[in-house]
Amino acid sequence: MTSQVPCYTIINSPDMEVPNEMQLKQELEKGDTNVKIETLKKVIKLLLNGERYPGLIMTIIRFVLPVQNHTVKKLLLIFWEVVPKTSADGKLLQEMILVCDAYRKDLQHPNEFLRGSTLRFLCKLKEPELLEPLMPAIRACLDHRHSYVRRNAVLAIFTIYKNFDWLVPDGPELIASFLDTQQDMSCKRNAFLMLLHADQERALNYLASCIDQVHSFGDILQLVIVELIYKVCHANPAERSRFIRCIYNLLNSSSNAVRYESAGTLITLSLAPTAIKAAASCYIELVVKESDNNVKLIVLDRLVAMKEHEGMEKVMQDLVMDVLRVLAAPDIEVRRKTLALALDLVYSRNIGEMVLVLKKEVAKTHNVEHEDTGKYRQLLVRTLHTCSIKFPDVAATVIPVLVEFLSDTNELAAADVLIFIREAIQKFPALRALIIENLIEAFPQIKSSKIHRAAVWILGEYVEGPQILEVITVIQQTLGDVPMVEAEQRRLTGEQSTEEQQQGSTNSAGEGSTTGSGNASNKVTSDGTYATQSAYSLAPVAKAEKRPPLRQYLMDGDFFIGAALSATLTKLALRYAELEPEARSQNRLTTQVMLIMSSILHLGKSGFPSKPITNDDTDRIFVCLRALSERTPEAVSVFTLYCREALGKMLDAQADEDQRVLKEKQRATAKVQPDDPVLFAQLSNGRDNQLGENVFESSLNQALAGSKTAQQLSDVASPNSKLNKVTQLTGFSDPVYAEAYVNVNQYDIVLDVLIVNQTNDTLQNCTLELATLGDLKLVERPHPVVLAPHDFCNIKANVKVSSTENGIIFGNIVYDTALNTNVVVLNTIHIDIMDYIIPASCTDTEFRQMWQDFEWENKVTVNTSFTDLHEYLRHLLKSTNMKCLTPEKALSGQCGFMAANMYAKSIFGENALANLSIEKPVDDPDSKVTGHIRIRAKSQGMALSLGDKISSSQKQSVQAA
C-alpha cells in the first residue's frame, strides 16, 4: 500500500509564515550556533507541515553536521527522521551516504548521551540501506561501559530484527547471551522484552533458570515477565502449573503496577477460589494504599467486573469487610463506588459487621465540616436503608442511628431517612413501636419544614393506643401557645407567654440584685463614679425571640405544613375515638384538635405571617374540621384506611419496578442459537487466541452467553449499526472518491477515510485537509500520499472531543498532477450528540435538585405526525437515548394528556434532564399530539444540541408520514 509512511515525532507549531529557501541556506551557512539552532527548528516544523526543501540537505551536511553542540545534535536527529530520504522513483538519495557516515561516527563518540540518543534514533529508521553499514557499530555498543548506551543498543537491535531480520540473523542468540551477563535492570528488561517478542522459547528458558529470584528483580523487568507468562499460558494452557506460582509471588511485589498486572493475569489463568481471593485482596490493598483517586476508581472497576462474574462473586463475599476499608478515602466518588460494591457483595453472615462499620462512619461525619460531608451522609443513609430492607434482622439496630439524622442541617440526608422510615414502618409491623418512640423523641429537634411535614404524616398514620396523646402533646409543644393570634399579639405588646414565664421563673433566683430596680439601673462611668440611667431615656429595642419550630414555619407563610398537621390531628382524633369508649374524653381531645386547626386558619388570615394562607390549604383544613364534626363513614375510612393502602400500593409498585429492571439486566445476555458451534478449550490448539483473551473462559462464554441475536445482526437499519457511521465525502463522478467511517471513542473521534483515485494519472502529494467547528480539535495533520492510477488508500485522522455538543468536520482533498494542483471539496461530517449520551437513572429528589440548579433551558415545541401519546414518548426515548423516570403505571391509560421526566448522562459526566408535557383531544382519535419538551443542562451546548436532535427527529417523522 502506498499509504505506509513512517510515524514521525509530532511537534505542534502555531501558524507560521513560510520563509524563502535561500534565506534558510544563508542562516545555516553564515549564522552562529544559536541562529543555526533556531533555523533548524524552523526547518523541522516546515517539513512536518508538508513543505519540501531538497536543496537544504547538502547545506546541513556541510555546515551543521560538523557542529559539536548537543542541542544541534538532538535537532539533527529529528531532522534526519522527518526529511524525505528517497527520490521520486523510490531510490535512496546519494547524500544519505554522507549522513550514514555521520551516524557511524556518533555511534563511536566518547560521549554516552550522543551514542544513546543516536541508537534511539536508529529505532525509527525504515531504510535497510542506511542501517546495514552501521550494524558493527551497533553491536559494539552492547559492550559499552554505560547502561544508557547498552539498553538503547538492545532496543535498536530489537527494532532492526523485527523489521529487517536478515540484517541481524543471530539477534535472539546475541541478546540471550547479553542477558546472562547483565546486572542493570533496564538493560535486562529491554533484552527480555526482545526475547519475549522474537524468541519466546529462549525467554522461557531464562525465566525458568531464575524463577526463584523474580521477586528481587526491578519492577520494569517484573512487568515484562508478567506479560510473558500471560501470553505463554494462553497460547499453551499446559504451562499454567509451571508459572502460576511465580504470579502468586509477584502479588507481593513492592511495585503497585506489578501487583495490579499480576492480579489481572492471575484471574484469567485460574478461577480457583484461592486465586480469586488472592487477586481481590491484592486489588483492595492497592485501592487502600494508593493515593491517586483515578487509580482507586480504576481498581474498583476491576473489583466490580470480578463481582459480575458468577463464580467469583461467592468468593468475594467474604471480603466485604476488607472492601469497606476503602471508605477511609476522602473522595466521594470512591466512597460511592465502594458502598455500591459492598452492598452487592454483603450476605447474611457479615451484614452485622458491615452495619457496625457503617455506624462508625456515620458517627465520624457528625463533627466534620467538608464540602462532601453532606453527600457522604446521604450515601450512608441510603446504604443502611438498603441493608435494612434486604436483611430485616438488622433494621432494629439501624433505626436509632438513622433517626439522629432527622435533626441534621442537610435536608437531603434527613429526607432519605424519612423515606427509609416510611418503608420500614409499613413493611415491618414488629418495629413500629420502636420507630414511633424514636421519631417522637427526635421530633422537636427537626430543623426543616419539609422533614417536619413528612414526620407528622408518619406519626399520624401509624401511632396507636396510648402513644396518641403523647404525639399530640409533642405537637403542641412544637406549635406553642394556642390560640396563636392572641399569643402573637401578646408577643408584640411585650408580654411573656406562658412558656416564657416558666422559663423566666427558673432564672430569676440569682439575678434578683441586678434586676431589682425595674425603672433604673446603676452604671459605672470611666472615672469610677456611679451614674443612674432611667428606663424612660432608653429607646425600646425589639428582642429577637425564638418561636417554636412549627409556629415559625407558619409565621414564614408555609401553611402547607398547617394543612398536613390538620390531617394528622384528624387521624389521631378519629383513631382515639375508636379506642376510647368514654364520650367525654373523646370530645375533650376532639375540641383540643379543632382549636389547633381553627387557630391555624385564624393566623393565616390575620396578617401576622409574611404570606397569607392559600385557598388550597384553607379548603383542606375545613375538610378536616368537617370530618371531625360530622364523622361520616366515608370520611372516616379515607382518613383511617385509604391513606395507608395508597402507601402500600406505591411501595409495591416501586418493588415491582426494581424487579423488572433487575430482570431486564439478567435478560440482556444474549441466548445461543441451536445450531451455533461450541468451542472446547481441550480441543483447541490455542493459536487463535494471541490477542490476550481468556481462552479458558472464551468457550464457556460462547456456550452460556453467545453472540448477538439474529434480530440484532439483521437490524442493519438501527442507529447504532456500523454501516450508518459511513459518510460519503465526494461524488462518484469526482476524480477522487472519498468516504469516511466515523468511530467515536470516549474522548476522541477516529476518521478512517478511504480515498480512491478514479483517474488514469498518478496523484502526487494527495493530502486530506480537515477543519472543525464546535468543541472539536484536530490532533494531527494527515500526511500526504502518492496514489497510482485507480489505486486507493486509507488515511486515519484523530479528532479530540472535550464536551457533549454537536460538531462539524469539513475540508478538502488537495493533489498534484503533471499539469496543475487540484482541489476536491468534501461533504461535511456531522458528529451526532447521541454518540456521547447514554440512558441513566436518578431519584425524584435528585432530579428536582438538578432541575433547580441547572441554568440552561431549551424549550422545544412538539410538531409531529404521531396521534398516540405513548407512541410519541417511545419515539422520543429512542431518538434521544434518554430514560423515562416516570413509572410505567403512572403513564398507563388514556386521559388526553401526559407528563413524563427523562434523564440521560454523557460520557463526560454531564447530566441532561427533560420534561415532556403533551396532550391531544380524547374525542378526536385522528388529531395529532401537541405540547412541548423542556430540556435543562448545566452547559449551553448540551441543552441546544439535545434540542436540535429532538427537532430533527420530529422533522424526519413528519416527512416519513
Side-chain angles (χ1 to χ4, degrees), residues 225-274:
I225 289 172
V226 171
E227 185 184 351
L228 172 69
I229 294 172
Y230 185 84
K231 284 190 172 183
V232 169
C233 292
H234 282 164
N236 186 7
E239 296 282 353
R240 270 189 304 166
S241 58
R242 185 178 170 194
F243 294 110
I244 203 162
R245 185 167 60 88
C246 180
I247 292 291
Y248 270 110
N249 292 336
L250 288 174
L251 287 177
N252 300 316
S253 169
S254 58
S255 165
N256 287 345
V258 174
R259 297 176 70 194
Y260 176 78
E261 293 296 337
S262 301
T265 302
L266 182 60
I267 55 177
T268 61
L269 298 183
S270 172
L271 289 178
T274 51

Short mmCIF file of all heavy atoms in Angstrom, two decimals, residues 225-274:
data_model
loop_
_atom_site.label_atom_id
_atom_site.label_comp_id
_atom_site.label_asym_id
_atom_site.label_seq_id
_atom_site.Cartn_x
_atom_site.Cartn_y
_atom_site.Cartn_z
N ILE A 225 7.92 -9.86 32.63
CA ILE A 225 7.77 -11.28 32.99
C ILE A 225 6.28 -11.63 33.10
O ILE A 225 5.84 -12.69 32.62
CB ILE A 225 8.52 -11.58 34.31
CG1 ILE A 225 10.03 -11.53 34.06
CG2 ILE A 225 8.11 -12.92 34.90
CD1 ILE A 225 10.88 -11.61 35.31
N VAL A 226 5.49 -10.74 33.71
CA VAL A 226 4.04 -10.99 33.81
C VAL A 226 3.43 -11.08 32.42
O VAL A 226 2.60 -11.96 32.14
CB VAL A 226 3.37 -9.85 34.62
CG1 VAL A 226 1.85 -9.97 34.56
CG2 VAL A 226 3.81 -9.90 36.07
N GLU A 227 3.85 -10.20 31.51
CA GLU A 227 3.33 -10.24 30.13
C GLU A 227 3.69 -11.55 29.45
O GLU A 227 2.86 -12.14 28.76
CB GLU A 227 3.91 -9.05 29.35
CG GLU A 227 3.35 -8.92 27.95
CD GLU A 227 4.00 -7.81 27.15
OE1 GLU A 227 4.78 -7.02 27.74
OE2 GLU A 227 3.77 -7.75 25.93
N LEU A 228 4.92 -12.02 29.67
CA LEU A 228 5.34 -13.28 29.06
C LEU A 228 4.49 -14.44 29.58
O LEU A 228 4.00 -15.27 28.80
CB LEU A 228 6.82 -13.54 29.36
CG LEU A 228 7.34 -14.93 28.96
CD1 LEU A 228 7.38 -15.05 27.44
CD2 LEU A 228 8.72 -15.19 29.53
N ILE A 229 4.31 -14.51 30.89
CA ILE A 229 3.53 -15.61 31.47
C ILE A 229 2.10 -15.57 30.95
O ILE A 229 1.51 -16.60 30.61
CB ILE A 229 3.56 -15.52 33.02
CG1 ILE A 229 4.99 -15.77 33.52
CG2 ILE A 229 2.60 -16.51 33.64
CD1 ILE A 229 5.18 -15.53 35.00
N TYR A 230 1.54 -14.37 30.83
CA TYR A 230 0.18 -14.22 30.31
C TYR A 230 0.06 -14.79 28.90
O TYR A 230 -0.84 -15.57 28.60
CB TYR A 230 -0.16 -12.73 30.33
CG TYR A 230 -1.58 -12.38 29.93
CD1 TYR A 230 -2.61 -12.44 30.85
CD2 TYR A 230 -1.88 -11.98 28.63
CE1 TYR A 230 -3.90 -12.11 30.50
CE2 TYR A 230 -3.17 -11.65 28.27
CZ TYR A 230 -4.18 -11.72 29.20
OH TYR A 230 -5.47 -11.40 28.84
N LYS A 231 1.01 -14.41 28.04
CA LYS A 231 0.95 -14.86 26.65
C LYS A 231 1.19 -16.37 26.53
O LYS A 231 0.48 -17.07 25.81
CB LYS A 231 2.00 -14.11 25.81
CG LYS A 231 1.61 -12.69 25.49
CD LYS A 231 2.55 -12.09 24.46
CE LYS A 231 2.04 -10.74 24.00
NZ LYS A 231 2.89 -10.16 22.96
N VAL A 232 2.20 -16.85 27.25
CA VAL A 232 2.56 -18.27 27.13
C VAL A 232 1.44 -19.16 27.65
O VAL A 232 1.08 -20.16 27.01
CB VAL A 232 3.88 -18.54 27.89
CG1 VAL A 232 4.13 -20.04 28.02
CG2 VAL A 232 5.04 -17.88 27.18
N CYS A 233 0.87 -18.80 28.79
CA CYS A 233 -0.18 -19.64 29.37
C CYS A 233 -1.46 -19.61 28.54
O CYS A 233 -2.21 -20.59 28.52
CB CYS A 233 -0.48 -19.20 30.80
SG CYS A 233 0.88 -19.53 31.94
N HIS A 234 -1.71 -18.52 27.84
CA HIS A 234 -2.89 -18.50 26.97
C HIS A 234 -2.64 -19.28 25.68
O HIS A 234 -3.55 -19.90 25.14
CB HIS A 234 -3.28 -17.05 26.65
CG HIS A 234 -4.01 -16.40 27.76
ND1 HIS A 234 -4.18 -15.04 27.87
CD2 HIS A 234 -4.61 -16.92 28.85
CE1 HIS A 234 -4.85 -14.76 28.96
NE2 HIS A 234 -5.13 -15.89 29.57
N ALA A 235 -1.42 -19.22 25.19
CA ALA A 235 -1.10 -19.97 23.97
C ALA A 235 -0.98 -21.46 24.27
O ALA A 235 -1.33 -22.30 23.43
CB ALA A 235 0.19 -19.43 23.36
N ASN A 236 -0.49 -21.78 25.46
CA ASN A 236 -0.29 -23.19 25.82
C ASN A 236 -0.75 -23.41 27.26
O ASN A 236 0.02 -23.25 28.21
CB ASN A 236 1.20 -23.56 25.67
CG ASN A 236 1.45 -25.03 25.89
OD1 ASN A 236 0.51 -25.81 26.03
ND2 ASN A 236 2.71 -25.42 25.92
N PRO A 237 -2.04 -23.74 27.45
CA PRO A 237 -2.58 -23.85 28.82
C PRO A 237 -1.84 -24.85 29.71
O PRO A 237 -1.89 -24.74 30.93
CB PRO A 237 -4.02 -24.31 28.59
CG PRO A 237 -4.35 -23.84 27.20
CD PRO A 237 -3.07 -23.92 26.43
N ALA A 238 -1.12 -25.79 29.12
CA ALA A 238 -0.42 -26.78 29.93
C ALA A 238 0.71 -26.16 30.74
O ALA A 238 1.20 -26.75 31.71
CB ALA A 238 0.15 -27.88 29.02
N GLU A 239 1.16 -24.95 30.36
CA GLU A 239 2.26 -24.30 31.06
C GLU A 239 1.80 -23.57 32.34
O GLU A 239 2.62 -23.01 33.06
CB GLU A 239 2.92 -23.26 30.13
CG GLU A 239 3.59 -23.86 28.90
CD GLU A 239 4.95 -24.46 29.24
OE1 GLU A 239 5.40 -24.29 30.38
OE2 GLU A 239 5.54 -25.11 28.37
N ARG A 240 0.50 -23.58 32.60
CA ARG A 240 -0.01 -22.82 33.74
C ARG A 240 0.64 -23.25 35.06
O ARG A 240 1.07 -22.42 35.86
CB ARG A 240 -1.52 -22.99 33.85
CG ARG A 240 -2.31 -21.97 33.10
CD ARG A 240 -3.76 -22.05 33.43
NE ARG A 240 -4.29 -23.39 33.19
CZ ARG A 240 -5.46 -23.83 33.64
NH1 ARG A 240 -6.20 -23.02 34.37
NH2 ARG A 240 -5.90 -25.04 33.37
N SER A 241 0.67 -24.54 35.28
CA SER A 241 1.18 -25.03 36.57
C SER A 241 2.65 -24.65 36.76
O SER A 241 3.13 -24.54 37.89
CB SER A 241 1.02 -26.55 36.64
OG SER A 241 1.69 -27.16 35.55
N ARG A 242 3.37 -24.45 35.66
CA ARG A 242 4.79 -24.14 35.74
C ARG A 242 5.05 -22.72 36.24
O ARG A 242 6.03 -22.47 36.94
CB ARG A 242 5.40 -24.36 34.35
CG ARG A 242 6.91 -24.20 34.27
CD ARG A 242 7.34 -24.49 32.84
NE ARG A 242 8.72 -24.14 32.61
CZ ARG A 242 9.27 -24.05 31.39
NH1 ARG A 242 8.51 -24.30 30.32
NH2 ARG A 242 10.53 -23.73 31.22
N PHE A 243 4.13 -21.80 35.87
CA PHE A 243 4.42 -20.40 36.14
C PHE A 243 3.43 -19.72 37.09
O PHE A 243 3.64 -18.57 37.46
CB PHE A 243 4.44 -19.60 34.82
CG PHE A 243 5.56 -19.98 33.90
CD1 PHE A 243 5.29 -20.66 32.72
CD2 PHE A 243 6.87 -19.71 34.23
CE1 PHE A 243 6.33 -21.03 31.87
CE2 PHE A 243 7.90 -20.07 33.39
CZ PHE A 243 7.64 -20.74 32.21
N ILE A 244 2.37 -20.40 37.47
CA ILE A 244 1.35 -19.71 38.28
C ILE A 244 1.90 -19.35 39.66
O ILE A 244 1.51 -18.34 40.26
CB ILE A 244 0.07 -20.57 38.36
CG1 ILE A 244 -1.12 -19.67 38.69
CG2 ILE A 244 0.20 -21.69 39.38
CD1 ILE A 244 -2.45 -20.28 38.38
N ARG A 245 2.85 -20.14 40.17
CA ARG A 245 3.47 -19.82 41.47
C ARG A 245 4.24 -18.50 41.38
O ARG A 245 4.27 -17.71 42.33
CB ARG A 245 4.40 -20.96 41.91
CG ARG A 245 4.99 -20.76 43.31
CD ARG A 245 5.63 -22.05 43.79
NE ARG A 245 6.70 -22.49 42.90
CZ ARG A 245 7.97 -22.09 43.03
NH1 ARG A 245 8.31 -21.26 43.98
NH2 ARG A 245 8.89 -22.54 42.19
N CYS A 246 4.85 -18.26 40.22
CA CYS A 246 5.59 -17.02 40.02
C CYS A 246 4.63 -15.82 40.09
O CYS A 246 4.96 -14.78 40.67
CB CYS A 246 6.29 -17.05 38.66
SG CYS A 246 7.24 -15.57 38.28
N ILE A 247 3.43 -15.96 39.50
CA ILE A 247 2.44 -14.88 39.55
C ILE A 247 2.00 -14.63 40.99
O ILE A 247 1.86 -13.48 41.43
CB ILE A 247 1.22 -15.23 38.66
CG1 ILE A 247 1.63 -15.24 37.18
CG2 ILE A 247 0.08 -14.26 38.88
CD1 ILE A 247 1.95 -13.87 36.62
N TYR A 248 1.80 -15.72 41.74
CA TYR A 248 1.44 -15.57 43.16
C TYR A 248 2.51 -14.76 43.91
O TYR A 248 2.21 -13.89 44.72
CB TYR A 248 1.29 -16.94 43.82
CG TYR A 248 -0.11 -17.51 43.75
CD1 TYR A 248 -0.40 -18.61 42.95
CD2 TYR A 248 -1.14 -16.95 44.49
CE1 TYR A 248 -1.67 -19.14 42.88
CE2 TYR A 248 -2.42 -17.47 44.44
CZ TYR A 248 -2.68 -18.57 43.62
OH TYR A 248 -3.95 -19.07 43.57
N ASN A 249 3.79 -15.06 43.61
CA ASN A 249 4.88 -14.34 44.28
C ASN A 249 4.88 -12.85 43.92
O ASN A 249 5.17 -11.99 44.75
CB ASN A 249 6.23 -14.96 43.93
CG ASN A 249 6.38 -16.35 44.53
OD1 ASN A 249 5.73 -16.67 45.52
ND2 ASN A 249 7.22 -17.18 43.93
N LEU A 250 4.55 -12.57 42.65
CA LEU A 250 4.57 -11.18 42.19
C LEU A 250 3.42 -10.35 42.78
O LEU A 250 3.44 -9.13 42.70
CB LEU A 250 4.54 -11.12 40.66
CG LEU A 250 5.83 -11.57 39.97
CD1 LEU A 250 5.64 -11.61 38.46
CD2 LEU A 250 6.98 -10.65 40.33
N LEU A 251 2.41 -11.01 43.34
CA LEU A 251 1.34 -10.28 44.02
C LEU A 251 1.88 -9.51 45.23
O LEU A 251 1.24 -8.57 45.71
CB LEU A 251 0.23 -11.22 44.48
CG LEU A 251 -0.68 -11.81 43.40
CD1 LEU A 251 -1.67 -12.78 44.02
CD2 LEU A 251 -1.42 -10.72 42.65
N ASN A 252 3.03 -9.94 45.73
CA ASN A 252 3.65 -9.28 46.89
C ASN A 252 4.78 -8.34 46.49
O ASN A 252 5.61 -7.98 47.32
CB ASN A 252 4.18 -10.33 47.87
CG ASN A 252 3.07 -11.23 48.37
OD1 ASN A 252 1.99 -10.77 48.70
ND2 ASN A 252 3.32 -12.54 48.40
N SER A 253 4.84 -7.98 45.21
CA SER A 253 5.90 -7.10 44.73
C SER A 253 5.80 -5.73 45.40
O SER A 253 4.73 -5.29 45.84
CB SER A 253 5.80 -6.95 43.21
OG SER A 253 6.65 -5.94 42.75
N SER A 254 6.94 -5.05 45.45
CA SER A 254 6.94 -3.70 46.03
C SER A 254 6.34 -2.67 45.08
O SER A 254 6.00 -1.56 45.49
CB SER A 254 8.38 -3.29 46.38
OG SER A 254 9.18 -3.34 45.21
N SER A 255 6.19 -3.02 43.81
CA SER A 255 5.64 -2.09 42.81
C SER A 255 4.13 -2.30 42.67
O SER A 255 3.66 -3.42 42.46
CB SER A 255 6.31 -2.31 41.46
OG SER A 255 5.59 -1.68 40.43
N ASN A 256 3.36 -1.21 42.78
CA ASN A 256 1.91 -1.32 42.63
C ASN A 256 1.51 -1.73 41.21
O ASN A 256 0.53 -2.45 41.02
CB ASN A 256 1.25 0.02 42.98
CG ASN A 256 1.27 0.28 44.47
OD1 ASN A 256 1.52 -0.62 45.26
ND2 ASN A 256 1.02 1.52 44.87
N ALA A 257 2.26 -1.25 40.21
CA ALA A 257 1.93 -1.60 38.83
C ALA A 257 2.07 -3.10 38.60
O ALA A 257 1.23 -3.74 37.95
CB ALA A 257 2.84 -0.83 37.87
N VAL A 258 3.14 -3.69 39.16
CA VAL A 258 3.36 -5.14 39.00
C VAL A 258 2.24 -5.91 39.70
O VAL A 258 1.71 -6.90 39.16
CB VAL A 258 4.74 -5.53 39.57
CG1 VAL A 258 4.92 -7.04 39.54
CG2 VAL A 258 5.85 -4.85 38.79
N ARG A 259 1.87 -5.47 40.89
CA ARG A 259 0.81 -6.17 41.63
C ARG A 259 -0.52 -6.10 40.87
O ARG A 259 -1.26 -7.08 40.81
CB ARG A 259 0.66 -5.56 43.02
CG ARG A 259 1.91 -5.70 43.87
CD ARG A 259 1.77 -5.00 45.21
NE ARG A 259 0.81 -5.69 46.06
CZ ARG A 259 0.30 -5.17 47.16
NH1 ARG A 259 0.65 -3.95 47.54
NH2 ARG A 259 -0.55 -5.85 47.89
N TYR A 260 -0.80 -4.94 40.28
CA TYR A 260 -2.05 -4.78 39.52
C TYR A 260 -2.08 -5.73 38.32
O TYR A 260 -3.07 -6.43 38.09
CB TYR A 260 -2.17 -3.32 39.07
CG TYR A 260 -3.36 -3.03 38.21
CD1 TYR A 260 -4.62 -2.88 38.76
CD2 TYR A 260 -3.24 -2.92 36.82
CE1 TYR A 260 -5.74 -2.60 37.98
CE2 TYR A 260 -4.33 -2.65 36.03
CZ TYR A 260 -5.58 -2.49 36.61
OH TYR A 260 -6.68 -2.24 35.82
N GLU A 261 -0.99 -5.73 37.55
CA GLU A 261 -0.94 -6.61 36.37
C GLU A 261 -0.96 -8.08 36.77
O GLU A 261 -1.58 -8.91 36.11
CB GLU A 261 0.33 -6.30 35.55
CG GLU A 261 0.34 -4.94 34.89
CD GLU A 261 -0.75 -4.78 33.85
OE1 GLU A 261 -1.22 -5.81 33.32
OE2 GLU A 261 -1.17 -3.64 33.59
N SER A 262 -0.27 -8.43 37.88
CA SER A 262 -0.23 -9.83 38.32
C SER A 262 -1.62 -10.30 38.74
O SER A 262 -2.03 -11.42 38.41
CB SER A 262 0.73 -9.98 39.50
OG SER A 262 2.02 -9.56 39.14
N ALA A 263 -2.36 -9.45 39.44
CA ALA A 263 -3.71 -9.82 39.87
C ALA A 263 -4.62 -10.04 38.66
O ALA A 263 -5.39 -11.00 38.61
CB ALA A 263 -4.29 -8.74 40.78
N GLY A 264 -4.51 -9.14 37.66
CA GLY A 264 -5.31 -9.30 36.45
C GLY A 264 -4.96 -10.56 35.69
O GLY A 264 -5.84 -11.25 35.16
N THR A 265 -3.67 -10.89 35.64
CA THR A 265 -3.24 -12.11 34.95
C THR A 265 -3.70 -13.36 35.71
O THR A 265 -4.13 -14.34 35.10
CB THR A 265 -1.70 -12.12 34.82
OG1 THR A 265 -1.30 -10.94 34.11
CG2 THR A 265 -1.21 -13.34 34.08
N LEU A 266 -3.63 -13.30 37.02
CA LEU A 266 -3.96 -14.48 37.84
C LEU A 266 -5.40 -14.91 37.63
O LEU A 266 -5.68 -16.12 37.47
CB LEU A 266 -3.70 -14.16 39.31
CG LEU A 266 -3.95 -15.31 40.30
CD1 LEU A 266 -3.04 -16.49 39.98
CD2 LEU A 266 -3.71 -14.85 41.73
N ILE A 267 -6.34 -13.96 37.60
CA ILE A 267 -7.74 -14.37 37.48
C ILE A 267 -8.10 -14.81 36.06
O ILE A 267 -9.14 -15.43 35.86
CB ILE A 267 -8.70 -13.25 37.95
CG1 ILE A 267 -8.44 -11.95 37.20
CG2 ILE A 267 -8.63 -13.07 39.43
CD1 ILE A 267 -9.39 -10.83 37.55
N THR A 268 -7.27 -14.48 35.07
CA THR A 268 -7.52 -15.03 33.73
C THR A 268 -6.90 -16.42 33.58
O THR A 268 -7.33 -17.20 32.74
CB THR A 268 -6.95 -14.11 32.63
OG1 THR A 268 -5.55 -13.99 32.81
CG2 THR A 268 -7.59 -12.75 32.67
N LEU A 269 -5.89 -16.72 34.40
CA LEU A 269 -5.26 -18.04 34.31
C LEU A 269 -5.97 -19.08 35.17
O LEU A 269 -5.97 -20.26 34.84
CB LEU A 269 -3.79 -17.96 34.77
CG LEU A 269 -2.86 -17.06 33.97
CD1 LEU A 269 -1.45 -17.16 34.50
CD2 LEU A 269 -2.90 -17.42 32.50
N SER A 270 -6.57 -18.65 36.27
CA SER A 270 -7.17 -19.62 37.18
C SER A 270 -8.41 -19.03 37.83
O SER A 270 -8.42 -17.86 38.23
CB SER A 270 -6.16 -20.00 38.27
OG SER A 270 -6.78 -20.79 39.26
N LEU A 271 -9.45 -19.85 37.94
CA LEU A 271 -10.67 -19.44 38.63
C LEU A 271 -10.82 -20.19 39.94
O LEU A 271 -11.94 -20.31 40.47
CB LEU A 271 -11.89 -19.67 37.74
CG LEU A 271 -12.01 -18.73 36.55
CD1 LEU A 271 -13.22 -19.06 35.70
CD2 LEU A 271 -12.11 -17.28 37.01
N ALA A 272 -9.71 -20.71 40.46
CA ALA A 272 -9.74 -21.37 41.76
C ALA A 272 -10.05 -20.34 42.84
O ALA A 272 -9.62 -19.19 42.74
CB ALA A 272 -8.40 -22.04 42.04
N PRO A 273 -10.80 -20.72 43.89
CA PRO A 273 -11.15 -19.75 44.96
C PRO A 273 -9.93 -19.07 45.57
O PRO A 273 -9.98 -17.87 45.88
CB PRO A 273 -11.88 -20.61 45.99
CG PRO A 273 -12.44 -21.74 45.20
CD PRO A 273 -11.46 -22.01 44.11
N THR A 274 -8.82 -19.82 45.74
CA THR A 274 -7.63 -19.19 46.32
C THR A 274 -7.08 -18.10 45.42
O THR A 274 -6.63 -17.04 45.88
CB THR A 274 -6.54 -20.25 46.58
OG1 THR A 274 -6.36 -21.01 45.38
CG2 THR A 274 -6.94 -21.17 47.72
#
